[in-house]
Amino acid sequence: MTEAQDRKPRSDEARSGFAAPAADGESQTTSEFAIPRGLAVAKPGAESETTSEFAVPDGLDVPQAPAGDSEGSAFSLPRTYSAKHAPPAFTPPGGVPTVSLTKDLPWQDRMRTMLRMPVAERPAPEPVQKVEEEGPAVPRVLDLTLRIGELLLAGGEGAEDVEAAMFAVCRSYGLDRCEPTVTFTLLSISYQPSLVDDPVTASRTVRRRVTDYTRLAAVFQLVDDLSDPESHTSLEEAYRRLAEIRRNRHPYPTWVLTAASGLLAGAASVLVGGDLVVFVAAALGAMLGDRLAWLCAGRGLPEFYQFTVAAMPPAAIGIALTLAHADVKASAVVTGGLFALLPGRALVAGVQDGLTGFYITASARLLEVMYFFVGIVIGVLVMLYVGVQLGAHLNPDAALGSVDRPLWQIGASMLLSLTFAVLLQQERSTVLAVTLNGGVAWTVYGAMQDTGGISPVASTAVAAGLVGLFGQLLSRYRFASALPYTTAAIGPLLPGSATYFGLLAIAQNEVDKGLVSLSKAAALAMAIAIGVNLGSEISRLFLRLPGASAAGRRAAKRTRGF
């Protein structure tokens, strides 16, 4: 039998339109799209049936889940879900309370723990404020939250603490699905009632910053009352108290602030070896610089120029004493004036934001510190350059603070902390505590550096760590912010002498020595900021946590970069 005889015409191939052998027995060339032999082709029906791309292919048997099993296969057909008869596997509408918050701890710790959790693991809120039957007015709650956050951020509070306060206000009124966001000048908050509702977002810009720790403490007290389950504060009452906080005058008049700046500079000059004449000269220079800065502020000049002008009078008085050949340490006069101008508050806040994961805010704060520092550098350099041209013999290699007067220096450090607290507009009830904290900080620093021979950077870091630890303990005891107990206490540790000698060396064309001294000043400043933040974190590490177990302590933002 030949190959041609073996082939028979197929009706399927003819109907399919593909090539088939001819009747005369001669084979024809088949198309490359021809259906292979033995493969049946499904006949088209009367109507074309368009199937979904999610349809299960014919012939594929999908195992169906048992009736009692709430979880099925990924290929199983969807089942109708009823919220009224929800199976136990689904998350209830109010969330799963995986963490039991301890209510007798400060609200800062409880809200910080909440913020460091994923949204799906946060426990359901327990509204502590009295709201209307139809629920809280969401726009008004968000507006109140933004106004409170604005006062805290303008007062110098860290970004994480501002977010914790905003989160506490929202949760106190039952808004659990809220996400606050804090940057250097912008506050925003978003609230989504449910997964199917549109979110409500509001924002507010911080345009003016005022250093007033009395107002800061009042705002913290308001947030504490809102978070207290035994205190029922309505929205109207919260708005009224917030308006009173805004209208309150500063606790100290202007002349007291000017006198405090002078005493601060005088105390700083005693810390670096100055005597009574140096104390008076440094005080006069700082008070004159403060008045000039107030004059520039009244004319609307930016803070950069205010710092530049305020740095000139102490340097001018020190150079005048040198030209007059007075038997005093003129360099101590300039150093005391620098102590009154160094932006220690902004530096600590900036480093704290960076260590807690708020890098944008930290960068902006540190950039602000750099601008202020550059303004101080320009003011001092101008006067030092004028003094060098006039023949003033200023020695950049002179040593300050070598006089062994521990009792006088401890007293000067306490006076410096007290006057710094007055400049920060602190409550009178906190001045004594921060004064003692500053004295302890200088005692530890002097014992480690002078007696133990330890490097100044390490001594400064340890002393600043104790300041942060004591400040955090005091703030937890009074359920308030830690800033009033730490910022003024680090005043004696600020690198005023290293900054002065670096600027003096640059003014005398010794750039290498100047840069080395300024690098030392930057290292001391970073040691202060990191030490304060580390002391605060150590206090939270060993004290009781607001969660159910200490093993589940959340990191500030993320762990090892993931």
Short mmCIF file of all heavy atoms in Angstrom, two decimals, residues 251-296:
data_model
loop_
_atom_site.label_atom_id
_atom_site.label_comp_id
_atom_site.label_asym_id
_atom_site.label_seq_id
_atom_site.Cartn_x
_atom_site.Cartn_y
_atom_site.Cartn_z
N PRO A 251 6.03 84.46 81.10
CA PRO A 251 6.14 84.61 82.55
C PRO A 251 7.17 85.64 83.01
O PRO A 251 7.11 86.11 84.14
CB PRO A 251 6.53 83.20 83.02
CG PRO A 251 7.17 82.57 81.83
CD PRO A 251 6.47 83.14 80.64
N TYR A 252 8.12 86.00 82.15
CA TYR A 252 9.17 86.94 82.55
C TYR A 252 9.15 88.14 81.62
O TYR A 252 9.04 87.99 80.40
CB TYR A 252 10.55 86.27 82.49
CG TYR A 252 10.64 84.99 83.29
CD1 TYR A 252 10.61 83.75 82.66
CD2 TYR A 252 10.72 85.01 84.68
CE1 TYR A 252 10.68 82.58 83.37
CE2 TYR A 252 10.80 83.83 85.40
CZ TYR A 252 10.77 82.62 84.75
OH TYR A 252 10.83 81.46 85.47
N PRO A 253 9.29 89.35 82.15
CA PRO A 253 9.31 90.55 81.29
C PRO A 253 10.61 90.66 80.52
O PRO A 253 11.57 89.89 80.74
CB PRO A 253 9.14 91.70 82.29
CG PRO A 253 9.62 91.14 83.59
CD PRO A 253 9.30 89.69 83.58
N THR A 254 10.66 91.63 79.64
CA THR A 254 11.81 91.77 78.76
C THR A 254 13.08 92.11 79.52
O THR A 254 14.17 91.58 79.21
CB THR A 254 11.52 92.86 77.71
OG1 THR A 254 10.32 92.53 77.01
CG2 THR A 254 12.67 92.97 76.72
N TRP A 255 12.99 92.98 80.52
CA TRP A 255 14.19 93.38 81.24
C TRP A 255 14.77 92.20 82.03
O TRP A 255 16.01 92.12 82.21
CB TRP A 255 13.90 94.55 82.17
CG TRP A 255 12.98 94.23 83.33
CD1 TRP A 255 11.63 94.34 83.35
CD2 TRP A 255 13.38 93.77 84.61
NE1 TRP A 255 11.14 93.97 84.57
CE2 TRP A 255 12.20 93.61 85.38
CE3 TRP A 255 14.60 93.48 85.21
CZ2 TRP A 255 12.20 93.16 86.68
CZ3 TRP A 255 14.62 93.03 86.52
CH2 TRP A 255 13.43 92.88 87.24
N VAL A 256 13.93 91.29 82.48
CA VAL A 256 14.44 90.10 83.17
C VAL A 256 15.21 89.21 82.19
O VAL A 256 16.26 88.64 82.53
CB VAL A 256 13.28 89.34 83.82
CG1 VAL A 256 13.77 88.01 84.41
CG2 VAL A 256 12.65 90.17 84.92
N LEU A 257 14.71 89.10 80.96
CA LEU A 257 15.40 88.30 79.96
C LEU A 257 16.75 88.90 79.60
O LEU A 257 17.75 88.18 79.43
CB LEU A 257 14.54 88.17 78.71
CG LEU A 257 13.18 87.48 78.87
CD1 LEU A 257 12.45 87.46 77.54
CD2 LEU A 257 13.34 86.09 79.42
N THR A 258 16.81 90.23 79.51
CA THR A 258 18.09 90.88 79.22
C THR A 258 19.09 90.68 80.34
O THR A 258 20.27 90.37 80.11
CB THR A 258 17.86 92.38 78.98
OG1 THR A 258 16.94 92.55 77.90
CG2 THR A 258 19.16 93.07 78.64
N ALA A 259 18.62 90.82 81.58
CA ALA A 259 19.51 90.58 82.72
C ALA A 259 19.95 89.12 82.78
O ALA A 259 21.10 88.82 83.13
CB ALA A 259 18.79 90.98 84.02
N ALA A 260 19.04 88.20 82.43
CA ALA A 260 19.41 86.78 82.44
C ALA A 260 20.48 86.47 81.41
O ALA A 260 21.40 85.68 81.67
CB ALA A 260 18.17 85.93 82.19
N SER A 261 20.39 87.09 80.23
CA SER A 261 21.44 86.87 79.23
C SER A 261 22.79 87.38 79.70
O SER A 261 23.83 86.76 79.46
CB SER A 261 21.05 87.54 77.91
OG SER A 261 20.96 88.95 78.08
N GLY A 262 22.79 88.51 80.41
CA GLY A 262 24.05 89.02 80.95
C GLY A 262 24.62 88.12 82.03
O GLY A 262 25.83 87.83 82.04
N LEU A 263 23.78 87.66 82.95
CA LEU A 263 24.26 86.75 83.99
C LEU A 263 24.74 85.43 83.41
O LEU A 263 25.69 84.83 83.92
CB LEU A 263 23.15 86.51 85.02
CG LEU A 263 22.75 87.72 85.87
CD1 LEU A 263 21.57 87.37 86.77
CD2 LEU A 263 23.94 88.19 86.72
N LEU A 264 24.08 84.98 82.35
CA LEU A 264 24.51 83.73 81.71
C LEU A 264 25.92 83.89 81.14
O LEU A 264 26.78 83.01 81.32
CB LEU A 264 23.52 83.36 80.62
CG LEU A 264 23.66 81.99 79.95
CD1 LEU A 264 22.31 81.50 79.45
CD2 LEU A 264 24.64 82.03 78.77
N ALA A 265 26.16 85.00 80.45
CA ALA A 265 27.49 85.22 79.89
C ALA A 265 28.54 85.37 80.99
O ALA A 265 29.66 84.85 80.87
CB ALA A 265 27.48 86.46 79.00
N GLY A 266 28.19 86.08 82.06
CA GLY A 266 29.14 86.22 83.17
C GLY A 266 29.46 84.89 83.82
O GLY A 266 30.62 84.60 84.14
N ALA A 267 28.44 84.05 84.03
CA ALA A 267 28.69 82.74 84.62
C ALA A 267 29.55 81.87 83.71
O ALA A 267 30.42 81.13 84.17
CB ALA A 267 27.35 82.04 84.92
N ALA A 268 29.32 81.96 82.40
CA ALA A 268 30.13 81.18 81.47
C ALA A 268 31.58 81.65 81.49
O ALA A 268 32.51 80.83 81.37
CB ALA A 268 29.57 81.31 80.06
N SER A 269 31.83 82.94 81.65
CA SER A 269 33.21 83.43 81.72
C SER A 269 33.92 82.94 82.97
O SER A 269 35.12 82.66 82.94
CB SER A 269 33.22 84.96 81.67
OG SER A 269 32.59 85.50 82.82
N VAL A 270 33.17 82.78 84.07
CA VAL A 270 33.78 82.23 85.28
C VAL A 270 34.12 80.75 85.08
O VAL A 270 35.13 80.25 85.60
CB VAL A 270 32.82 82.42 86.48
CG1 VAL A 270 33.35 81.71 87.73
CG2 VAL A 270 32.63 83.90 86.76
N LEU A 271 33.30 80.02 84.33
CA LEU A 271 33.59 78.61 84.07
C LEU A 271 34.93 78.42 83.37
O LEU A 271 35.60 77.40 83.58
CB LEU A 271 32.47 78.01 83.21
CG LEU A 271 31.17 77.62 83.90
CD1 LEU A 271 30.19 77.05 82.90
CD2 LEU A 271 31.42 76.62 85.02
N VAL A 272 35.33 79.37 82.52
CA VAL A 272 36.57 79.24 81.76
C VAL A 272 37.70 80.04 82.38
O VAL A 272 38.68 80.34 81.70
CB VAL A 272 36.34 79.66 80.30
CG1 VAL A 272 35.39 78.70 79.61
CG2 VAL A 272 35.81 81.09 80.21
N GLY A 273 37.58 80.39 83.65
CA GLY A 273 38.71 81.00 84.37
C GLY A 273 38.64 82.49 84.56
O GLY A 273 39.64 83.10 84.96
N GLY A 274 37.53 83.14 84.30
CA GLY A 274 37.42 84.58 84.46
C GLY A 274 37.25 84.99 85.92
O GLY A 274 36.82 84.20 86.77
N ASP A 275 37.55 86.27 86.20
CA ASP A 275 37.39 86.80 87.55
C ASP A 275 36.20 87.76 87.57
O ASP A 275 35.36 87.75 86.67
CB ASP A 275 38.67 87.49 88.01
CG ASP A 275 39.16 88.53 87.01
OD1 ASP A 275 38.40 88.84 86.05
OD2 ASP A 275 40.29 89.03 87.17
N LEU A 276 36.12 88.60 88.60
CA LEU A 276 34.98 89.51 88.74
C LEU A 276 34.92 90.52 87.61
O LEU A 276 33.84 90.82 87.09
CB LEU A 276 35.07 90.22 90.09
CG LEU A 276 33.92 91.19 90.41
CD1 LEU A 276 32.58 90.46 90.40
CD2 LEU A 276 34.16 91.91 91.74
N VAL A 277 36.09 91.07 87.20
CA VAL A 277 36.10 92.04 86.12
C VAL A 277 35.62 91.40 84.81
O VAL A 277 34.83 91.98 84.05
CB VAL A 277 37.51 92.65 85.95
CG1 VAL A 277 37.54 93.62 84.77
CG2 VAL A 277 37.94 93.35 87.24
N VAL A 278 36.07 90.20 84.57
CA VAL A 278 35.64 89.48 83.37
C VAL A 278 34.14 89.20 83.44
O VAL A 278 33.42 89.29 82.43
CB VAL A 278 36.45 88.18 83.23
CG1 VAL A 278 35.88 87.31 82.10
CG2 VAL A 278 37.92 88.49 82.96
N PHE A 279 33.65 88.85 84.63
CA PHE A 279 32.22 88.59 84.81
C PHE A 279 31.39 89.82 84.41
O PHE A 279 30.41 89.71 83.66
CB PHE A 279 31.95 88.21 86.26
CG PHE A 279 30.52 87.90 86.57
CD1 PHE A 279 30.03 86.61 86.50
CD2 PHE A 279 29.65 88.92 86.93
CE1 PHE A 279 28.70 86.33 86.79
CE2 PHE A 279 28.31 88.67 87.21
CZ PHE A 279 27.85 87.36 87.14
N VAL A 280 31.80 90.98 84.90
CA VAL A 280 31.05 92.20 84.61
C VAL A 280 31.15 92.56 83.13
O VAL A 280 30.15 92.94 82.48
CB VAL A 280 31.56 93.35 85.50
CG1 VAL A 280 30.88 94.66 85.11
CG2 VAL A 280 31.32 93.05 86.97
N ALA A 281 32.35 92.44 82.56
CA ALA A 281 32.53 92.79 81.15
C ALA A 281 31.71 91.86 80.25
O ALA A 281 31.06 92.31 79.28
CB ALA A 281 34.02 92.71 80.79
N ALA A 282 31.73 90.55 80.54
CA ALA A 282 30.95 89.62 79.73
C ALA A 282 29.46 89.87 79.87
O ALA A 282 28.71 89.78 78.88
CB ALA A 282 31.29 88.18 80.13
N ALA A 283 29.01 90.21 81.07
CA ALA A 283 27.59 90.49 81.28
C ALA A 283 27.16 91.73 80.50
O ALA A 283 26.10 91.73 79.85
CB ALA A 283 27.30 90.67 82.77
N LEU A 284 27.99 92.79 80.54
CA LEU A 284 27.65 94.00 79.79
C LEU A 284 27.61 93.73 78.28
O LEU A 284 26.71 94.21 77.58
CB LEU A 284 28.66 95.10 80.11
CG LEU A 284 28.60 95.69 81.53
CD1 LEU A 284 29.71 96.72 81.72
CD2 LEU A 284 27.24 96.33 81.78
N GLY A 285 28.59 92.98 77.79
CA GLY A 285 28.61 92.69 76.36
C GLY A 285 27.40 91.86 75.92
O GLY A 285 26.80 92.13 74.87
N ALA A 286 27.01 90.89 76.73
CA ALA A 286 25.85 90.06 76.37
C ALA A 286 24.56 90.86 76.43
O ALA A 286 23.68 90.71 75.56
CB ALA A 286 25.77 88.85 77.30
N MET A 287 24.40 91.73 77.44
CA MET A 287 23.18 92.53 77.52
C MET A 287 23.09 93.52 76.37
O MET A 287 22.01 93.74 75.81
CB MET A 287 23.12 93.25 78.87
CG MET A 287 22.83 92.32 80.04
SD MET A 287 22.51 93.20 81.59
CE MET A 287 24.14 93.85 81.95
N LEU A 288 24.23 94.12 75.99
CA LEU A 288 24.21 95.03 74.85
C LEU A 288 23.87 94.28 73.56
O LEU A 288 23.08 94.76 72.73
CB LEU A 288 25.57 95.71 74.72
CG LEU A 288 25.73 96.72 73.58
CD1 LEU A 288 24.69 97.84 73.71
CD2 LEU A 288 27.14 97.30 73.56
N GLY A 289 24.44 93.10 73.40
CA GLY A 289 24.10 92.30 72.22
C GLY A 289 22.64 91.88 72.20
O GLY A 289 22.00 91.86 71.14
N ASP A 290 22.09 91.57 73.37
CA ASP A 290 20.67 91.20 73.44
C ASP A 290 19.78 92.37 73.03
O ASP A 290 18.80 92.20 72.30
CB ASP A 290 20.34 90.74 74.86
CG ASP A 290 18.88 90.33 75.01
OD1 ASP A 290 18.53 89.23 74.57
OD2 ASP A 290 18.08 91.13 75.57
N ARG A 291 20.10 93.57 73.49
CA ARG A 291 19.29 94.75 73.11
C ARG A 291 19.40 95.04 71.61
O ARG A 291 18.40 95.39 70.96
CB ARG A 291 19.77 95.96 73.91
CG ARG A 291 19.38 95.95 75.37
CD ARG A 291 17.87 96.10 75.58
NE ARG A 291 17.17 94.83 75.53
CZ ARG A 291 15.86 94.72 75.36
NH1 ARG A 291 15.11 95.79 75.16
NH2 ARG A 291 15.29 93.53 75.33
N LEU A 292 20.59 94.87 71.04
CA LEU A 292 20.73 95.09 69.61
C LEU A 292 19.94 94.04 68.81
O LEU A 292 19.34 94.35 67.77
CB LEU A 292 22.21 95.04 69.22
CG LEU A 292 23.08 96.21 69.70
CD1 LEU A 292 24.53 95.99 69.32
CD2 LEU A 292 22.57 97.53 69.13
N ALA A 293 19.94 92.80 69.31
CA ALA A 293 19.17 91.76 68.63
C ALA A 293 17.67 92.07 68.70
O ALA A 293 16.94 91.86 67.73
CB ALA A 293 19.47 90.40 69.26
N TRP A 294 17.19 92.57 69.85
CA TRP A 294 15.78 92.96 69.96
C TRP A 294 15.45 94.10 68.98
O TRP A 294 14.37 94.13 68.39
CB TRP A 294 15.47 93.40 71.39
CG TRP A 294 15.15 92.27 72.32
CD1 TRP A 294 16.00 91.64 73.19
CD2 TRP A 294 13.88 91.61 72.45
NE1 TRP A 294 15.34 90.65 73.86
CE2 TRP A 294 14.04 90.60 73.44
CE3 TRP A 294 12.64 91.78 71.86
CZ2 TRP A 294 12.99 89.77 73.82
CZ3 TRP A 294 11.60 90.95 72.24
CH2 TRP A 294 11.78 89.96 73.20
N LEU A 295 16.38 95.03 68.82
CA LEU A 295 16.17 96.12 67.89
C LEU A 295 16.06 95.61 66.45
O LEU A 295 15.20 96.04 65.68
CB LEU A 295 17.31 97.14 68.01
CG LEU A 295 17.23 98.37 67.10
CD1 LEU A 295 15.97 99.18 67.40
CD2 LEU A 295 18.48 99.23 67.24
N CYS A 296 16.94 94.66 66.09
CA CYS A 296 16.88 94.08 64.74
C CYS A 296 15.59 93.29 64.54
O CYS A 296 15.00 93.32 63.45
CB CYS A 296 18.09 93.18 64.51
SG CYS A 296 19.67 94.07 64.47
#
